[in-house]
Amino acid sequence: MSSTHSIQDLRQRFFIKNSPVRGDVVRLDDSYQAVIEQKDYPIALQKLLGEMLVAASLLIGTLKIDGRLSIQLQNSTDAKTDTDSNNTDRASQLNWAMAECDSHGFVRGLADWTGNWSGLITANDAFAKLGKGGVLFINIQSNTTQSGMQAEGYQGIVERVADNLADCLTHYQQQSVQIPTLINLACDGKQAGGILVQLLPYSEDEQEHIDNDLFPRLTVLTKTLKATELTKLPPNEILYRLYHEEEVITADPVNLSFGCTCSIQKSASAIFQLGKTQALNLVAEQGGEIGLDCGFCGQIYRFDTQAINEIFA
């Protein structure tokens, strides 16, 4: 596992004392830069990837799993076959994007796009390039094994109820998970940040001790956050500015860092899927060696004829 870490890359959990309200603030700096440096992404797509990385880091904090959570955007149109000389917008699109955070705080992301994105500068501009038929997914994969087999993963479809990622994910949490939630995301192309606030379930016995106006009040306050505050201020300062009239309790922050799970073993497995004959033919065609590169971190794994033969030995 390769990683890049900064003291500014973290998730800060907080609670409102004597209430069922909890939340998290996420800031990404070096880890975000490590992701967008892998490709020459348009600025709008850089910002969308930043929001996706923050969102994945926030959402996995709501789960008690040893595993990973990813957010994926998938376009339903193939721009290569859907070009039209009278409609250049059809050939300019976001093909797919994904961002992932695991329970150890490692984040990574990747995206693919087509066409000229000049003039697009915001994350919402990039989100719109997903097209009307584009689909959002949340994937959760546990590392837990059962009877020697990896536990089955979960995939949820996120309804496109808005033209931005944060509102779509907020709606998903409220409808599918059925937990009142507010999510606010921001990215300026250098740093990314976000906040999640939730009203957890509580019993009838707890009802009489709960301030019913607390969550609506916090929602209004949280919506006043500016994008520049989310990307530049330390989490504790954000919490103080928003909720200084409440009794806020913070837990130890969780460090976040860029990390990739690629390995020579996984690359060898991919070659094995090709079959020995095809793999050796590729080696011959490419001058005696083939290289498999990881889109997430840029690592290249090289295999010559001897290495191919060892894979199939």
Side-chain angles (χ1 to χ4, degrees):
M1 172 76 74
S2 57
S3 67
T4 302
H5 173 65
S6 163
I7 59 173
Q8 297 191 62
D9 293 61
L10 56 85
R11 179 173 62 241
Q12 176 65 68
R13 169 63 53 87
F14 67 91
F15 307 88
I16 304 299
K17 188 176 182 180
N18 298 324
S19 83
V21 173
R22 75 169 180 197
D24 287 282
V25 180
V26 162
R27 276 287 309 279
L28 297 178
D29 189 337
D30 287 354
S31 54
Y32 164 62
Q33 287 297 321
V35 169
I36 63 172
E37 286 172 359
Q38 300 305 318
K39 286 188 175 184
D40 187 19
Y41 291 112
I43 183 61
L45 188 47
Q46 290 181 17
K47 292 179 179 179
L48 178 59
L49 273 172
E51 289 193 0
M52 292 175 67
L53 290 163
V54 170
S57 302
L58 287 169
L59 291 177
I60 197 169
T62 68
L63 305 175
K64 295 181 179 180
I65 65 164
D66 174 20
R68 59 190 183 274
L69 180 146
S70 66
I71 296 171
Q72 298 184 18
L73 311 182
Q74 181 65 54
N75 201 313
S76 61
T77 302
D78 184 354
K80 294 179 181 179
T81 60
D82 190 29
T83 55
D84 186 331
S85 59
N86 296 319
N87 188 355
T88 57
D89 185 59
R90 289 177 118 184
S92 174
Q93 67 178 33
L94 173 60
N95 296 328
W96 55 265
M98 72 83 67
E100 177 182 274
C101 182
D102 70 13
S103 49
H104 301 289
F106 289 108
V107 301
R108 64 177 187 169
L110 195 61
D112 185 65
W113 74 101
T114 306
N116 183 0
W117 284 45
S118 60
L120 305 181
I121 59 173
T122 70
N124 291 350
D125 289 338
F127 190 80
K129 283 296 181 180
L130 187 61
K132 294 182 179 180
V135 182
L136 285 71
F137 299 97
I138 288 180
N139 293 300
I140 300 170
Q141 181 63 61
S142 173
N143 292 332
T144 304
T145 57
Q146 299 174 354
S147 301
M149 302 291 289
Q150 187 174 34
E152 186 176 349
Y154 165 83
Q155 183 179 82
I157 297 178
V158 180
E159 188 178 358
R160 294 274 298 277
V161 297
D163 294 327
N164 67 85
L165 180 64
D167 288 348
C168 291
L169 293 175
T170 295
H171 178 79
Y172 174 82
Q173 289 291 110
Q174 293 172 341
Q175 298 299 314
S176 299
V177 186
Q178 297 185 339
I179 296 179
T181 303
L182 175 66
I183 298 173
N184 197 347
L185 306 171
C187 182
D188 61 9
K190 296 181 179 179
Q191 303 98 8
I195 186 170
L196 175 148
V197 186
Q198 289 188 319
L199 179 64
L200 300 179
Y202 51 86
S203 67
E204 292 183 4
D205 293 338
E206 294 173 311
Q207 174 66 54
E208 60 182 274
H209 305 293
I210 292 175
D211 178 0
N212 291 324
D213 293 328
L214 177 61
F215 190 73
R217 186 166 68 248
L218 297 180
T219 299
V220 171
L221 290 171
T222 306
K223 288 183 177 180
T224 66
L225 263 179
K226 298 178 181 178
T228 53
E229 293 175 310
L230 276 175
T231 57
K232 297 186 182 303
L233 294 181
N236 285 335
E237 186 170 346
I238 289 175
L239 294 176
Y240 178 77
R241 288 193 180 192
L242 288 177
Y243 314 133
H244 59 273
E245 294 185 355
E246 312 293 342
E247 291 190 72
V248 178
I249 302 171
T250 57
D252 291 336
V254 175
N255 293 330
L256 302 173
S257 58
F258 172 74
C260 190
T261 58
C262 70
S263 67
I264 192 168
Q265 291 81 10
K266 290 182 179 179
S267 295
S269 178
I271 290 175
F272 186 81
Q273 298 300 317
L274 289 175
K276 184 175 182 179
T277 300
Q278 186 173 352
L280 290 174
N281 287 340
L282 284 174
V283 169
E285 291 173 4
Q286 298 186 24
E289 182 182 78
I290 57 175
L292 299 184
D293 64 305
C294 175
F296 290 103
C297 69
Q299 177 70 44
I300 300 177
Y301 298 96
R302 302 186 185 279
F303 299 85
D304 58 16
T305 299
Q306 180 180 346
I308 298 296
N309 285 324
E310 289 175 355
I311 290 173
F312 292 93

